[in-house]
């Protein structure tokens, strides 16, 4: 049964909110920083405990915030037995790590930064285990890669730390990209991106032709995250991180994320031969290989890292068996591995912290000097070895029993033999951990004098090994209910398989396999010295060397492609883009998706044909004369006017108004810019390149014309009908184009005016750089032609622009006010009034006009964006989506009834941004002119016609 509860959202958000605390509290001291870091984790754990009773009764807690439900995008969370187990592990161990790190980190380590990274990682992991939407899960999945990169590379001064972080990010990030594809395929098969829907659609998924591609891609994500063969090499190199990071990442969190994913997707993906051979085989190989490498590692953390790889392989193998009982055993071992492995990593950190070395060959005899650490480490290692009365023994026995009854291909013994070998190697490296670190005589050459750490440092691992013993003695009473509810979630509900959590299961195959493993492990420990010499003498592939060589090759290939394709020439970029577009378009055109024609070709009036021919001639002329910049600009203006006429003919007055206004403003600004450029463009490309570009351009133009022609001859359903039907009822306007801009697609318009405002500010900033750099010197040295007109601001133009200005302002205001119901609006009005002011600048010069400016153009852009944003926010305050219009009709005698809409306020913001951006661009270009030595007039015209000789004599 599903239960809605908002606590899930709070639990997911708390670590991210809490990540803001450590950076502030570190100023109050290290203890205060650690204490306040623990608060969000503890509070989230408390909320989880409040939800636990419902989950333990078999219910599922769920909470969802819809964002774009049409696209399957929502912030959906759910908590079942598996999520409860992992969330409890993440938060519980997170609290212990917070305590442990307080005493482990030195005073030189930036503790506030460490705890911030830790909480970010904790939040990402929590998001993975309680996400219901797989798209949201993917976001959290990638966040774990990014935050673990920060944690692993925390000691930035260590080269191995930086390299380990890069390696982990490269491997897990690549797997995450593959997993994105698999998840999208899965959502497409089911028709939903919610896990609660996907997990009950197992039969549909397994019957799909896309099952195998989805399975492989998802498993790539899981295998890379959980360090499964052949991706196992990154995890040991992550040991360069501080021990608290290693203990957290490798016991309860990051490396368990892949195991969690396989367990979570078990109901949907398991039960096929592909699942068995891919998952079980990979897990079995990883289990044996990881254990073998761990046996010969002399670094304590490296030994534990490869043991983690081995145990993750064990879990993967169990999930790969595909049986319900094996899945339940995997859940049980997840709990057991958490307790002893976190304790062992912390023990290794204590040994390193107190002796200043992790080299096993420099240790030994520590049981006399560090008795508390010896007790904790020994209990953890015995559990890892699978010795009776410790929890590791219970899940190991159940694993061996499952392996004994599993066949691989035609061999009924291969899995059992290899599983026994893995268990044997596990016993050997566990016993070596005890014997070579704690047993033996006390040495006199330790790098530092060993002693037990303070209570705060051994309290966390001590609590964990206490759990090891309690679970080992009373498993059914302590973790039985949790294993049942989590196991039930993994197998997808239904009847649970029979199993018994107890120490003695009678004389079974697993008992004999376990005896062989323990005895064989002791033999390997006794023979370790000669075997270690042999291991070091034998040639073997080094994963790090292979990885480094692969990365170097990929980087070289990438560099070669980049230098070939991205050489700084925009012509090459455009050529690649258009050729690719043509190829893809041709494939789509010939793919059989083109339907039969449904519309006849209309007769072409003579005037339209003439206009079309003139347009073609103008475009060809621009192409042939493009090196003569002024002439090209004039012809471009003709092209723009022809397009405007076409819009008028096609009954699109809004587009015609916009086109004419934009064309006028653009031409005027470009004319100003041409003042600082050479009259002609130099020849920079050879004839062959020009022919290539001409062929590509011609093919692209013909392809676009063919596509347009095909569309016009066919009936196609578009969203236009919706806009036409709902423009008045939904947006309160009869001008559909304006309603689309300020209501239906208002968010797009809001983004566009922000971009326009940024463009104006960027141009201003670039001009600032130019004027303060070496270019300003070149501008001051500009030599103008001596035959320039000395009447650059003639009387006729001054008078005409003065007369036009109030008329243009009235037209602009009229266009603005009518825009919601007739052609017009804020964008066109801003351009019209900009043109009026531009004409003043052209008529009387920059200085005279600027002296009469009463407001800053920067401010207009800012005010416009703010007004538009507040209009949208007002709709949200009213409980409506962002930028939803509200309107009503008012009557104030003697004025007739009129309409007022909130869209007018948004349009005002558009008007201010457009006007401010255009005028700021003009201001920037005018500053260049003044620096370049342009004459600055303080009068409205160069020659005053009233300034006669007689008048001067009188003066």
């Amino acid at each position: 049964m599903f239960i809605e509860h908002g606590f899930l959202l709070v639990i997911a958000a708390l670590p991210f909110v809490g990540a803001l605390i450590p950076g502030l509290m570190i100023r109050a001291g290290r203890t205060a920083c650690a204490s306040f870091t623990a608060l969000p984790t503890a509070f989230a754990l408390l909320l989880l405990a409040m939800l636990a009773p419902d989950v333990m009764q078999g219910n599922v807690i769920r909470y969802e915030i819809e964002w774009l439900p049409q696209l399957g995008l929502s912030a959906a969370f759910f908590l079942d037995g598996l999520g409860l187990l992992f969330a409890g592990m993440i938060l519980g161990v997170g609290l212990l790590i917070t305590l442990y790190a307080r005493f482990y980190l030195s005073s030189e380590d930036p503790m506030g930064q460490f705890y911030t990274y830790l909480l970010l990682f904790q939040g990402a992991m929590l998001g993975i285990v309680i996400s219901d939407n797989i798209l949201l899960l993917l976001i959290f999945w990638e966040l774990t890669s990014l935050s673990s990169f920060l944690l692993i590379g925390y000691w930035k001064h260590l080269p191995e730390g930086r390299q380990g972080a890069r390696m982990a990010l490269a491997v897990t990030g690549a797997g995450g990209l593959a997993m994105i594809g698999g998840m999208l395929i899965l959502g497409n098969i089911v028709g939903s991106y919610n896990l609660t829907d996907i997990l009950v659609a197992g039969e549909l998924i397994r019957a799909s032709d896309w099952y195998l591609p989805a399975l492989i891609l998802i498993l790539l994500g899981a295998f890379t995250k959980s360090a499964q063969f052949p991706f196992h090499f990154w995890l040991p190199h992550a040991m360069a991180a501080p021990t608290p990071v290693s203990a957290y990442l490798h016991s309860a969190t990051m490396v368990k994320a892949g195991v969690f994913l396989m367990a979570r997707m078990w109901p949907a993906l398991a039960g096929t031969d592909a699942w068995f051979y891919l998952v079980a085989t990979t897990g079995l190989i990883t289990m044996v290989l990881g254990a073998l490498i761990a046996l010969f590692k002399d670094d304590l953390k490296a030994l534990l890292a490869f043991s983690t790889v081995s145990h993750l392989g064990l879990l993967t193998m169990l999930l790969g068996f595909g049986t319900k009982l094996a899945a339940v055993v995997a859940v049980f071992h997840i709990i057991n591995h958490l307790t002893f492995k976190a304790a062992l990593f912390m023990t290794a950190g204590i040994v390193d912290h107190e002796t200043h070395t992790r080299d096993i060959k420099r240790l030994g005899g520590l049981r006399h000097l560090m008795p508390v650490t010896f007790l904790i480490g020994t209990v953890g290692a015995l559990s890892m070895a699978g010795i009776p009365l410790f929890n590791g023994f219970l899940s190991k026995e159940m694993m061996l029993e499952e392996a004994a009854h599993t066949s691989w291909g035609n061999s009924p013994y291969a899995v059992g033999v290899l599983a026994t070998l893995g268990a044997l190697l596990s016993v050997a490296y566990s016993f070596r951990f005890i014997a070579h670190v704690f047993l033996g005589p006390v040495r006199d050459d330790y790098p530092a004098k060993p002693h037990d750490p303070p209570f705060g440092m051994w309290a966390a691992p001590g609590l964990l090994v206490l759990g090891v013993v309690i679970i080992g003695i009373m498993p059914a009473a302590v973790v039985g209910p949790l294993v049942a509810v989590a196991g039930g979630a993994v197998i997808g509900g239904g009847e649970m398989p029979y199993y018994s959590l107890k120490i003695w299961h009678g004389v079974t195959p697993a008992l004999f396999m376990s005896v062989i493993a323990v005895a064989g492990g002791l033999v390997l420990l006794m023979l370790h010295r000669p075997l270690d010499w042999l291991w070091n003498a034998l040639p073997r592939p080094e994963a790090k060397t292979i990885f480094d060589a692969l990365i170097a090759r990929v980087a070289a290939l990438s560099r070669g492609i980049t230098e070939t394709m991205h050489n700084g020439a925009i012509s090459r970029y455009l050529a690649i883009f258009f050729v690719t577009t043509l190829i893809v378009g041709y494939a789509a055109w010939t793919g059989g998706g083109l339907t039969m024609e449904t519309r006849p070709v209309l007769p072409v009036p003579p005037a339209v044909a003439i206009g079309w021919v003139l347009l073609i001639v103008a475009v060809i002329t621009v192409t042939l004369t493009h090196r003569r910049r002024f002439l090209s600009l004039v012809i471009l203006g003709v092209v723009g006017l022809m397009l405007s006429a076409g819009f008028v003919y096609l009954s699109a007055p809004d587009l015609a108004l916009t086109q004419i206004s934009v064309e006028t403003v653009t031409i005027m600004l470009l004319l100003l810019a041409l003042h600082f450029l050479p009259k002609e463009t130099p020849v920079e490309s050879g004839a062959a390149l020009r022919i290539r570009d001409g062929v590509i351009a011609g093919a692209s133009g013909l392809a676009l014309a063919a596509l347009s022609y095909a569309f016009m001859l066919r009936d196609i359903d578009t969203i236009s009908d919706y806009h036409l039907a709902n423009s008045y009822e939904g947006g309160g306007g009869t001008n559909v184009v304006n309603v689309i801009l300020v209501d239906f697609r208002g968010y797009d318009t809001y983004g566009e005016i922000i971009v326009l405002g940024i463009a104006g500010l960027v141009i201003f900033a670039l001009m600032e750089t130019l004027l303060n750099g070496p270019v300003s010197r070149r501008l001051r040295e500009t030599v103008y032609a001596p035959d320039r007109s000395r009447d650059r601001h003639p009387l006729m133009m001054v008078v005409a622009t003065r007369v036009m200005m109030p008329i243009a302002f009235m037209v602009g205001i009229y266009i603005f006010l009518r825009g919601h119901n007739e052609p017009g609006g804020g964008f066109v009005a801003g351009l019209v009034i900009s043109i009026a002011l531009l004409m003043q600048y052209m008529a009387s010069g920059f200085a005279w006009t600027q002296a009469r400016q009463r407001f800053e153009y920067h401010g207009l852009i800012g005010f416009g964006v703010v007004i538009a944003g507040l209009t949208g926010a007002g709709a949200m305050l009213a409980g409506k989506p962002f930028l939803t219009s509200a309107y009503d009709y008012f009557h104030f005698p003697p004025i007739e009834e009129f309409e007022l809409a909130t869209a007018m306020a948004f349009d005002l913001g558009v008007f201010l941004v457009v006007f401010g951006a255009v005028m700021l661009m003009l201001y920037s270009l005018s500053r260049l002119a003044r620096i370049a030595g342009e004459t600055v007039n303080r009068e409205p015209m160069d020659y005053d016609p009233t300034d006669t000789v007689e008048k001067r004599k009188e003066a």
Side-chain angles (χ1 to χ4, degrees), residues 100 346-355 370 373 453 457-458 461:
Y100 179 79
M346 292 186 205
T347 301
I350 291 171
V351 171
D352 183 24
H353 193 271
E354 304 304 332
T355 65
M370 305 173 69
T373 307
M457 199 167 181
W458 64 258

Side-chain angles (χ1 to χ4, degrees), residues 60 137 259-260 272 437 471 486 569 620 672 862 895 927 950 952:
V60 176
L137 184 149
V259 173
F260 168 82
T272 64
V437 175
I471 295 172
I620 294 174
L672 288 171
I895 302 174
R927 293 182 68 206
E950 292 76 9
R952 284 198 299 271

Side-chain angles (χ1 to χ4, degrees), residues 343-344 346-348 350-351 364-382 390 430-440 451-453 458 461 465:
L344 285 171
M346 292 186 205
T347 301
I350 291 171
V351 171
L366 294 183
R367 73 183 187 282
H368 302 292
L369 304 174
M370 305 173 69
V372 175
T373 307
F374 164 63
L375 178 62
I376 294 171
T378 300
V379 172
L382 291 175
F390 302 105
S430 300
F431 284 174
R432 184 183 177 222
F433 181 91
I434 299 170
H436 291 185
V437 175
F438 296 105
L439 302 183
H451 58 84
D452 274 323
W458 64 258
V465 295

Side-chain angles (χ1 to χ4, degrees), residues 755-767:
V755 171
L756 178 62
I758 291 173
L761 295 172
V762 167
I763 291 174
F764 176 81
L766 287 173
M767 294 305 172

Side-chain angles (χ1 to χ4, degrees), residues 799-811 833 836-837 840:
V799 173
T801 55
R802 296 296 187 275
V803 174
M804 287 171 56
M805 186 171 178
I807 299 173
F809 268 64
M810 290 299 296
V811 170
I833 294 180
L837 278 180
Q840 303 306 311

